[in-house]
Amino acid sequence: MRIAIVHYHLSPGGVTTIIRAACRGLSTAGVRHVVLCGNAPAEDLPARLVPDLAYLRTSARPAESLLEEMRDAAEEALGGPPDVWHFHNHSLGKNILMPRVVSLLAEAGDRLVLQLHDLVEDGRPGNHPLVAEQPWLYPLSPRVLYAFINGADHRRFLSAGMPEENTILLPNPIPGAAATLPAPKEKPPLILYPTRAIRRKNLGELLLLSMFAPEDTRFAITRAPEDPAARAIYDHWKWLAEEMELPVQFEVVDRTTPDGESDASYASWIEASSHFITTSVAEGFGMIFPEAAALGKPVIGRELETHPRSGGSPIYQNILVPGEWMPPGALRRHLSRHLGETHRLYSRTLAPEDTDAAMAALLHDGHVDFGNLPETLQREVLMRLRDDASLRPIIGEKPPDEWMRDALAQPPAPYTGQGIPDGEYDRELISCYASLSGRPAGGVGHVDPERVLDAYLSPENFHFLRTSIAKIRAVIFDIYGTLLIAPPGAVRHDPAFDPVLREILSAAGHDLGDSPTTVLHAAVHRHHAASGHAHPEIDLAQVWQEVLGTTEDVTDLITAVENAWHPCEPMPRARETLLRLSAEGVTLGVLSNAQANTLPALDGTLGAVTPLLAPELTVLSYQHGIAKPSPELFQLLARRLEARGISPAETLFVGNDPRQDILPAQAAGFRTALFAGHPGSIRPGECTPDLTLRSLSEIPSATSSF
């Protein structure tokens, strides 16, 4: 028997773990096999690279051409054509050619195992456009067998019309039970979340648990997400953990050591950890449970619907918080917005009764599950818990500090979830392949993809952390007049300020005569004239050093002068808006006519918000010697956004000046919002923005209308 296993990649993760287990079993049984992948071929696997099997959103290449290349690669590796093709997640919407390749194989009478563990219908609406027009997504013939790793997905496909004889349950392989790592030394608990922390991993809940852990307990997350949109949410949780002084370390592998003694490798963190934790709300394979048992590590955290446990380690089904802990009506507003956007992405119309049904499913006697809240409401709950020590959520009918204490006291337990031992998994897999050998070729039909989508899109299955991230993926702000209330900041001859400036200079040991503003203004004019640019900008530190005839650091002097000459106040709702956007996974930045003192002033006025801003998207005029409305600054911003995978069309630029903000931002392709919410900030000029804002707090909900 010759087997060809096909997946998009062999990067570290659950699918690669399962493929590795399959290859190990096939090798032991003497079955010839090859793994075809698009990238990241693992050295320890018999892999062949077929580049167009990688994630592929567009292609002029026909599926027939890719299939021919796959056949050639498989035959060369196996010494003949495969007896069975084993595809992982062919319908996920990651590769536009993959569903048609599978359909062509089915039509040709090839034997197929189609293993489904991540599904486009299950909280991945952003992938749906790649498969929406492919009626052959789920082919049926006597020689096509669908392998499900859990009963929930199996039941939904049966309800959508898939014949039972075309299905098999193929649960996770459970690694051997003998611990392969030494037990950690007797130290305070180190609780490891071995995961790449994408959105569904539910980091807000990890932060909540860390608030109630025994003193000196540490939490660590192994890896950051790679997707820029997921990274924005991750960065928000990093910021909030630091802001709240929580004992959580982020992306520790290959960056820091667990104990100051060993190295920073994944293996060292595994060895040093006392416990594993998962707060994930959805998993493909859910391998953390059997892997923890194999390593002799207790695992604590959230149970998964698709990977239920029958006992053993301390696992909860929800963390209940009172609905009254959130602003009135906020939960329903978020639900309506997310449900509407999800249905739109799936090309469906949201019925009012669907919102009612989903809302009813969220409520538990006036409480809601913390893990099924959008990030912005999770943050609200965390801040409330921080500010009122008397408040307690409920975990398994216990207060969280008691639950954490009891959970950490329990020893490792054998794996009791859905799964089968390694050896039995090998036999089951080979039996699955063999069962296809006796099946005759037959006509090819298809399960209706719309019925499958219906099974997953029912309101009772809704989960906030499995919805699509906002279409507006980045919001870039002007600072003065938008985030900060401030008088005009230009350096000018200002007789009224001269006495104040003389006093500040005298206190610093300097003297620029009766009118220091005149001296400063003249120096600025010289720098502007020398620049040769239509929109020149100075570096205020250089100008001050020039007029004072010094090379010393003038940061403190500039801060004192600017605080007196151009004092700032927070724009109403500015901090709240930044926090909410960050919590919802929106990438944040600023582009402003500003100086080196601006970011400290922003933090001093709004309170430590600059960590929410992506450093490369913090574009200040003094850094570049040019000022708004220069198109060069906006083009620079566009290039830096595109390096993050974010287009100008997915970016909202917010400013208060039609000529300096809105018009050049539109010329660079950005969506625009004119802020007209403060009488002192409105600037003259004609423009037609996408939005006109009376309050910054309108931005999060307004972006959903794009």
Side-chain angles (χ1 to χ4, degrees), residues 145-163:
L145 194 60
Y146 287 81
F148 298 94
I149 65 171
N150 63 74
D153 289 331
H154 187 210
R155 288 190 297 273
R156 287 168 183 161
F157 270 79
L158 292 178
S159 73
M162 180 171 285

Side-chain angles (χ1 to χ4, degrees), residues 315-557:
I315 299 297
Y316 55 80
Q317 294 181 333
N318 52 45
I319 297 181
L320 295 179
V321 299
E324 63 193 31
W325 285 7
M326 285 152 278
L331 182 59
R332 188 176 184 90
R333 286 195 299 272
H334 279 280
L335 178 63
S336 179
R337 175 186 169 191
H338 282 76
L339 265 180
E341 176 64 3
T342 297
H343 279 67
R344 186 193 69 79
L345 289 170
Y346 281 126
S347 302
R348 294 292 184 88
T349 300
L350 177 65
E353 57 268 24
D354 289 341
T355 303
D356 294 337
M359 188 69 186
L362 288 177
L363 297 176
H364 306 269
D365 294 327
H367 289 70
V368 293
D369 180 10
F370 180 89
N372 197 359
L373 291 175
E375 288 89 350
T376 187
L377 292 184
Q378 286 190 342
R379 178 180 56 79
E380 293 280 350
V381 170
L382 292 175
M383 301 296 273
R384 181 181 283 260
L385 290 170
R386 180 195 66 176
D387 296 338
D388 188 342
S390 68
L391 298 178
R392 291 288 187 274
I394 302 169
I395 306 179
E397 301 182 354
K398 295 180 180 179
D401 43 0
E402 181 181 336
W403 188 91
M404 282 295 301
R405 187 178 63 249
D406 292 348
L408 294 178
Q410 293 193 32
Y415 178 61
T416 57
Q418 293 185 348
I420 51 180
D422 259 338
E424 187 177 337
Y425 179 83
D426 301 344
R427 291 190 293 274
E428 189 76 16
L429 182 63
I430 293 171
S431 173
C432 169
Y433 296 152
S435 71
L436 287 171
S437 64
R439 296 190 180 191
V444 176
H446 300 90
V447 175
D448 183 357
E450 290 298 310
R451 290 188 63 187
V452 177
L453 182 57
D454 287 339
Y456 281 90
L457 209 55
S458 65
E460 295 78 10
N461 293 331
F462 173 80
H463 202 294
F464 278 107
L465 300 188
R466 306 182 75 181
T467 56
S468 182
I469 295 172
K471 290 174 290 176
I472 292 295
R473 297 174 56 199
V475 177
I476 309 298
F477 291 88
D478 170 52
I479 295 178
Y480 296 111
T482 303
L483 294 176
L484 298 179
I485 302 169
V491 174
R492 65 194 187 282
H493 171 54
D494 188 352
F497 188 67
D498 275 328
V500 178
L501 185 51
R502 286 198 302 270
E503 185 175 339
I504 294 172
L505 289 171
S506 177
H510 301 288
D511 184 357
L512 289 180
D514 290 339
S515 182
T517 63
T518 301
V519 176
L520 194 63
H521 189 210
V524 170
H525 266 297
R526 289 195 300 273
H527 280 257
H528 282 175
S531 75
H533 198 282
H535 304 287
E537 178 62 290
I538 59 164
D539 182 336
L540 196 53
Q542 293 178 4
V543 173
W544 270 112
Q545 287 175 330
E546 177 185 311
V547 300
L548 295 176
T550 182
T551 58
E552 295 178 358
D553 184 9
V554 292
T555 301
D556 291 343
L557 174 64

Side-chain angles (χ1 to χ4, degrees), residues 235-275:
D235 286 344
H236 176 84
W237 291 127
K238 279 182 66 176
W239 171 84
L240 188 62
E242 183 176 351
E243 176 87 355
M244 297 179 65
E245 300 181 342
L246 298 176
V248 182
Q249 295 174 269
F250 292 78
E251 55 197 282
V252 295
V253 169
D254 298 331
R255 293 183 66 251
T256 185
T257 64
D259 50 19
E261 300 173 2
S262 54
D263 59 30
S265 67
Y266 184 75
S268 291
W269 278 95
I270 294 288
E271 180 176 345
S273 65
S274 60
H275 297 74

